[in-house]
Amino acid sequence: AFVGGPPGRLEGSNPFLLQALGVLLHRHRSLHAQAAAALKAALAVRPRHAASWLALARLEEERGRFGGALRCYERAVSVQPANEVTWHALGTYHMRHAHSSLNSTRALEIAISYLERATALNERNVFCWQAQGVVLARLGRLDAASAA
């Protein structure tokens, strides 16, 4: 059984299904503890499953656990460094939280470096270009932002 046994106990060995369950529980039911359990179960089966790391990062971020979220975003990049989606996620995390940083300019510089990596990996990904333009504009580099 995929979900069976005692209430709240997850069974199964397919990380893709466990990750999908975690996302569904998080996004459509706001069952954060159960979503985290499903995502952690996916990672127990396949620790290099970047999609589960990203989903867990988003969940942690939404719960205000920013240190945990950052570690999950970084882990996603470490397990799939050739994937622009992981770099985009890490870059946009820094972009979203630059305002709360002691050095927001440095946080935006970090964000732009990750977003540039994402764009280099896939120059056709419009989301990478868009995020890069937003960060460049926030840095006051309007000419570069309009080019992005």
Side-chain angles (χ1 to χ4, degrees):
F2 182 63
V3 178
R9 181 167 170 229
L10 294 171
E11 295 177 1
S13 60
N14 186 324
F16 300 97
L17 290 176
L18 290 165
Q19 185 259 338
L21 176 62
V23 169
L24 286 171
L25 290 168
H26 173 214
R27 294 287 179 213
H28 301 290
R29 299 280 186 209
S30 295
L31 299 171
H32 300 289
Q34 294 91 331
L39 294 167
K40 289 175 182 176
L43 292 166
V45 172
R46 186 172 291 173
R48 299 184 60 79
H49 193 243
S52 293
W53 283 112
L54 291 176
L56 186 57
R58 288 184 199 104
L59 176 62
E60 290 292 289
E61 187 175 358
E62 188 174 300
R63 295 169 91 180
R65 298 175 179 173
F66 302 115
L70 180 57
R71 284 187 293 279
C72 291
Y73 283 119
E74 290 171 341
R75 181 61 191 233
V77 166
S78 76
V79 300
Q80 281 196 1
N83 183 335
E84 84 273 6
V85 173
T86 61
W87 287 103
H88 175 267
L90 182 57
T92 56
Y93 170 85
H94 282 281
M95 178 180 75
R96 284 190 301 276
H97 296 283
H99 67 279
S100 62
S101 172
L102 292 176
N103 186 345
S104 63
T105 300
R106 178 68 184 130
L108 290 171
E109 293 288 350
I110 292 168
I112 200 66
S113 71
Y114 295 146
L115 294 167
E116 286 172 346
R117 281 190 178 178
T119 304
L121 288 167
N122 183 356
E123 293 180 353
R124 296 169 42 139
N125 187 324
V126 70
F127 298 108
C128 296
W129 285 108
Q130 181 184 29
Q132 200 172 337
V134 169
V135 173
L136 288 168
R138 287 177 63 184
L139 286 167
R141 300 180 196 164
L142 300 180
D143 288 342
S146 64

